[in-house]
Amino acid sequence: MPRFFITLSYNGKNYVGWQIQPNGKSVQQMLQEAFALILRQDVAVVGAGRTDAGVHAREMIAHFDWNGDVFSPGDLMYKINNFLPKDISLSAIKPVRPDAHARFSAISRTYKYYATTVKDPFIHEYTYRLFFQPDIGRMNALCEVLKEYNDFTSFSRLHTDVRTNNCHIEYARWEQKGNLYEFTIRADRFLRNMVRAIVGTLLQAGRGRLDEQGFRHIIEAANRSVAGDSAPGHALFLEKVIYPEDIWL
């Protein structure tokens, strides 16, 4: 059966994350219910990865198999969008090679995390409030250290079902824009909770409580308990997922 990639965005505030779980609504569940209603058959929707509860996505990719009858991809997207709640939106449905996989075919993923040092009622739902002025230079020095390593067990949620905790981080950097602090990280893959754990640990350095030697010790220990607390999920965004050009039809 032909395979299609969906490009979508969502506000994660009201969801337990991307993946279907027994303890609440997920984005995947909402999509599958919408497709089942419109196509009158069960449709499995597979995402590029998991996002935790409260985490947002400016660009998530998912795939599903569909024979393409009755509707064009454009018509189907329009109908699905009309059924989905206002905090989930599809922007494209495109055909891909039958062997393309939203998760395993991806070659990179980019996340952004936002923090602020001011109380602002218009951004508080999407930023982490800091009560100190972080040292950007110190944090960015440790971002360079991150790129020297591959095993990120110390920043992974415990007891996950992945075969390896190895990742290749291509880019990691903080930028200050007034009172807003923006962290961007790009890698071939991410472990569960990895970005939030890295952010929480880097903020320890930004507060003067962690130096390079201590940071290297955390990574090399391969032990989640030695790293910093995870930063809250509401300020994290999945920004982009990249695939090889030859998967698109």
Side-chain angles (χ1 to χ4, degrees):
M1 189 175 293
R3 177 158 291 183
F4 293 81
F5 270 20
I6 311 163
T7 303
L8 68 146
S9 57
Y10 55 84
N11 181 323
K13 179 181 178 180
N14 297 319
Y15 301 100
V16 294
W18 161 264
Q19 191 173 29
I20 291 175
Q21 299 180 47
N23 61 327
K25 291 188 304 180
S26 72
V27 178
Q28 184 184 37
Q29 173 191 338
M30 301 304 292
L31 275 176
Q32 292 190 167
E33 288 178 357
F35 274 95
L37 179 72
I38 301 302
L39 296 179
R40 298 183 180 181
Q41 64 186 54
D42 290 338
V43 176
V45 178
V46 179
R50 299 171 177 174
T51 54
D52 292 337
V55 175
H56 318 290
R58 286 200 175 92
E59 181 182 283
M60 168 64 89
I61 305 294
H63 78 246
F64 71 105
D65 297 331
W66 173 49
N67 58 21
D69 61 355
V70 183
F71 308 119
S72 69
D75 288 340
L76 178 61
M77 184 181 74
Y78 177 80
K79 291 178 181 295
I80 295 292
N81 267 332
N82 282 343
F83 180 77
L84 288 170
K86 61 184 178 182
D87 50 13
I88 304 175
S89 176
L90 275 58
S91 58
I93 296 179
K94 295 181 179 180
V96 293
R97 289 185 345 211
D99 61 341
H101 195 285
R103 179 181 174 189
F104 298 122
S105 298
I107 56 178
S108 79
R109 298 159 172 86
T110 301
Y111 281 88
K112 286 184 181 288
Y113 195 91
Y114 297 92
T116 183
T117 54
V118 298
K119 183 179 182 181
D120 186 333
F122 300 108
I123 65 171
H124 76 91
E125 289 191 346
Y126 306 105
T127 56
Y128 178 32
R129 174 81 185 280
L130 304 178
F131 294 90
F132 62 94
Q133 295 290 334
D135 185 332
I136 285 283
R138 182 187 289 263
M139 293 193 297
N140 278 335
L142 298 191
C143 285
E144 294 303 306
V145 173
L146 273 175
K147 293 187 283 186
E148 299 177 21
Y149 291 88
N150 292 306
D151 186 340
F152 294 100
T153 301
S154 290
F155 301 118
S156 172
R157 180 171 294 173
L158 298 175
H159 311 302
T160 60
D161 57 358
V162 297
R163 295 179 180 179
T164 174
N165 288 336
N166 285 0
C167 309
H168 173 61
I169 295 179
E170 305 168 13
Y171 181 89
R173 188 165 184 82
W174 287 88
E175 291 184 56
Q176 182 178 359
K177 301 176 180 179
N179 295 312
L180 186 68
Y181 294 82
E182 178 182 294
F183 176 62
T184 305
I185 186 166
R186 182 173 68 248
D188 59 342
R189 63 190 290 264
F190 288 95
L191 308 173
R192 292 193 67 185
N193 200 55
M194 178 175 165
V195 179
R196 293 168 56 201
I198 287 175
V199 169
T201 305
L202 290 174
L203 286 172
Q204 284 190 349
R207 201 167 187 167
R209 296 179 176 176
L210 182 66
D211 59 14
E212 180 178 328
Q213 182 180 357
F215 191 60
R216 289 183 183 276
H217 169 74
I218 287 171
I219 299 173
E220 293 167 7
N223 185 339
R224 177 67 186 92
S225 66
V226 301
D229 292 337
S230 295
H234 72 275
L236 179 61
F237 289 74
L238 173 60
E239 285 286 316
K240 197 165 188 64
V241 187
I242 298 295
Y243 295 89
E245 285 297 324
D246 62 0
I247 70 166
W248 307 98
L249 296 181

